[in-house]
Amino acid sequence: MSADLRRRIVAAEAELQSLREQLALAEEAEAADRSMQPDSSWKWPLAASDYDRYARQLILPSVGVQGQLALKKASVVLIGAGGLGCPAALYLAGAGVGHLTVVDGDTVETSNLHRQIGHTTARTGAYKVDSLVEACRERNPEVKYTAVREHVTVDNIGPLLANATLALDCTDHAAVRYLISDACVLAGVPLVSAAALRTDGQLSVLNWPVGRGPCYRCVFPRPPPAASQMSCAEGGVLGPVVGVMGVLQALEAIRVLTQPPPEPLQPTLLLFSASGGPSFRTVRLRGRRSDCFACSDDSVLKKGDGLDGGWPDYVQFCGGSTAVTQHVLAPEERVSVEMYKKLQEEDTPRKHWLLDVREKEFYNMGSIAGAVNVPFSQTRAGSSPEGLPSWLPSGLAEDTAPIYLVCRVGNDSQVVARQLKTLGLDREGTRFVGDVEGGLLAWKQRVDETMPFV
Ligand SMILES: [Zn+2]
């Protein structure tokens, strides 16, 4: 209810702001009409206010008046108004790009605020693009802003990039990264791509110079294994880590817009780590792959009909979404949270096992009474050729009591249940091994609303 109201207030404010801008433009035009003579006394390339606002970057040799004019002419499309997009957009707005388009279909949640510095507690529930554009406008009202309240898809990305000078990939999903890169190759737009997860980040400038620099597929021809593709929602991230990467994206964007591409071409991948050792490392990239799916001369993508003929299935290419494991177990191998709650009450003294397969940090935040923590990452480690894996809780294999698995939303629990059966722990079907359907999320929604859930 309150989230909806907040969203509506921000939308109304955005509308009001847009009307004010239209009014200002209309008044300006009327004033110009009245005087019938443009201000011919002004003989300098930038507007008077620009010399003031951008003074400290104008005096840099790497920017200067020419650089400022290039920024002013630029149309930048920034995809993802989250942890990377917020600092990147704020700095690009501050630097005075001419037109900034921000694309994101999500709304602001409280759990975003520790890292997504363009949003505020008061704007929780609003569209991220509206919230971020408002923050940018407060910084620099001279920039033209477009807020697109959609996620990028194969259908909208072509038109979004049609008049772009530069694109920034500030998203957090593997499939979307390939889509954005492919679209930039097709549209002839350079791309500043960054990623951050947990305590690490990476950054590269792709398709730059346009038509010569490597694309995302040249650098990462194969997607990461599906199991390792965690978005920040599940994977966790430190605010300053993603902030560093977003700020660096803005820096690279300003360099691309104001300076000629380096010659000879030296594409690099910058790696950042906050987990010890050197913070920054630079890896030289090989350049374009002659057999690249997207950017090589005989690329499948280029030969397709662009939007209709040539787009691959990105989700499938990246190993499917998290929904892929939805049907690992049969219905009779699963119990609802209500059924498990009843069983928990009736099974006294307790005879069954409940294994919580979330990572330790999640488990420590709160779990169902009596659950034993077996982190999913440990169950992925290869088991020794003979005997049972060491991560099994002691006594589990020897026992005959039923085993219930629970996880965050009910995917990993199925995988581990299947694994325990493969290991023979179901004693040829005489011992129940199954999961609690819907995981801790369902438990919170339907049994115990006080359960902390992230
Ligand atoms: Zn390529």
Side-chain angles (χ1 to χ4, degrees):
M1 180 66 186
S2 66
D4 182 49
L5 284 172
R6 275 198 212 98
R7 185 163 36 240
R8 284 164 57 192
I9 288 171
V10 173
E13 280 169 351
E15 171 74 24
L16 189 61
Q17 183 63 36
S18 161
L19 288 172
R20 284 206 188 99
E21 282 167 7
Q22 286 175 36
L23 176 65
L25 284 176
E27 283 172 350
E28 243 173 64
E30 282 164 14
D33 274 353
R34 271 195 301 276
S35 66
M36 283 310 283
Q37 45 179 325
D39 186 1
S40 55
S41 66
W42 190 255
K43 52 189 180 295
W44 311 105
L46 291 166
S49 61
D50 291 347
Y51 289 97
D52 200 14
R53 180 178 287 276
Y54 308 117
R56 301 301 290 271
Q57 72 189 34
L58 272 171
I59 54 177
L60 288 173
S62 57
V63 180
V65 171
Q66 284 314 308
Q68 196 63 51
L69 285 168
L71 287 169
K72 205 169 182 174
K73 244 176 54 191
S75 178
V76 176
V77 176
L78 185 147
I79 303 164
L84 295 166
C86 282
L90 287 166
Y91 274 110
L92 288 176
V97 297
H99 183 188
L100 185 59
T101 301
V102 187
V103 189
D104 199 316
D106 282 340
T107 54
V108 179
E109 294 174 23
T110 309
S111 65
N112 301 147
L113 299 176
H114 83 118
R115 66 187 186 281
Q116 302 187 9
I117 56 165
H119 310 310
T120 62
T121 305
R123 296 201 286 263
T124 306
Y127 276 99
K128 287 186 178 179
V129 287
D130 292 337
S131 168
L132 182 53
V133 163
E134 191 174 325
C136 288
R137 196 174 268 129
E138 282 164 357
R139 191 155 310 270
N140 190 352
E142 308 288 331
V143 173
K144 179 184 173 195
Y145 298 99
T146 303
V148 180
R149 298 170 186 165
E150 293 169 16
H151 291 298
V152 286
T153 64
V154 291
D155 298 317
N156 66 12
I157 194 158
L160 280 171
L161 293 177
N163 298 309
T165 320
L166 173 74
L168 274 74
D169 180 352
C170 306
T171 64
D172 62 358
H173 285 288
V176 179
R177 291 192 181 286
Y178 286 98
L179 167 66
I180 293 171
S181 172
D182 290 354
C184 282
V185 168
L186 278 179
V189 173
L191 171 66
V192 181
S193 178
L197 188 61
R198 293 176 184 274
T199 55
D200 296 317
Q202 64 183 40
L203 170 90
S204 54
V205 181
L206 303 166
N207 197 30
W208 179 247
V210 172
R212 283 179 53 212
C215 76
Y216 191 75
R217 285 182 192 270
C218 295
V219 184
F220 303 104
R222 300 297 313 159
S228 73
Q229 291 174 29
M230 283 186 289
S231 77
C232 292
E234 301 114 57
V237 66
L238 269 181
V241 169
V242 74
V244 162
M245 301 317 295
V247 170
L248 286 172
Q249 269 188 295
L251 177 63
E252 289 298 340
I254 291 170
R255 292 217 302 212
V256 168
L257 294 172
T258 58
Q259 292 165 36
E263 288 292 347
L265 187 58
Q266 278 183 334
T268 55
L269 178 69
L270 179 73
L271 301 171
F272 172 73
S273 174
S275 58
S279 297
F280 290 98
R281 281 185 302 136
T282 303
V283 180
R284 285 279 296 275
L285 297 176
R286 286 192 338 176
R288 282 206 159 175
R289 282 174 190 264
S290 55
D291 60 345
C292 177
F293 174 88
C295 72
S296 61
D297 289 337
D298 48 357
S299 132
V300 181
L301 197 65
K302 285 187 193 164
K303 282 186 177 162
D305 298 326
L307 291 167
D308 304 318
W311 295 103
D313 184 332
Y314 291 93
V315 175
Q316 192 192 38
F317 175 65
C318 291
S321 67
T322 49
V324 285
T325 55
Q326 244 167 22
H327 302 296
V328 172
L329 294 183
E332 62 272 19
E333 297 171 292
R334 316 194 73 185
V335 297
S336 67
V337 287
E338 289 85 359
M339 284 159 74
Y340 181 77
K341 170 75 178 157
K342 193 154 174 279
L343 180 139
Q344 199 187 33
E345 287 161 1
E346 289 169 357
D347 191 24
T348 50
R350 187 190 184 96
K351 287 196 278 299
H352 70 275
W353 291 81
L354 177 65
L355 308 187
D356 185 333
V357 297
R358 294 174 303 160
E359 296 307 309
K360 189 171 87 235
E361 295 73 19
F362 287 79
Y363 171 81
N364 288 344
M365 233 175 285
S367 185
I368 299 172
V372 178
N373 187 214
V374 181
F376 187 68
S377 57
Q378 288 184 18
T379 70
R380 299 301 88 194
S383 55
S384 53
E386 61 246 25
L388 293 163
S390 58
W391 49 262
L392 286 181
S394 69
L396 182 81
E398 300 75 26
D399 201 358
T400 56
I403 305 172
Y404 295 87
L405 284 300
V406 69
C407 67
R408 189 168 170 273
V409 295
N411 290 327
D412 295 347
S413 56
Q414 297 185 68
V415 174
V416 180
R418 174 64 60 231
Q419 190 177 3
L420 294 184
K421 290 190 173 202
T422 309
L423 290 167
L425 266 69
D426 66 336
R427 299 178 172 258
E428 291 172 346
T430 60
R431 179 191 197 183
F432 177 84
V433 177
D435 85 327
V436 180
E437 200 170 350
L440 267 294
L441 177 62
W443 185 265
K444 180 186 176 68
Q445 287 168 341
R446 285 152 38 199
V447 176
D448 178 4
E449 63 174 25
T450 69
M451 177 68 72
F453 180 85
V454 294

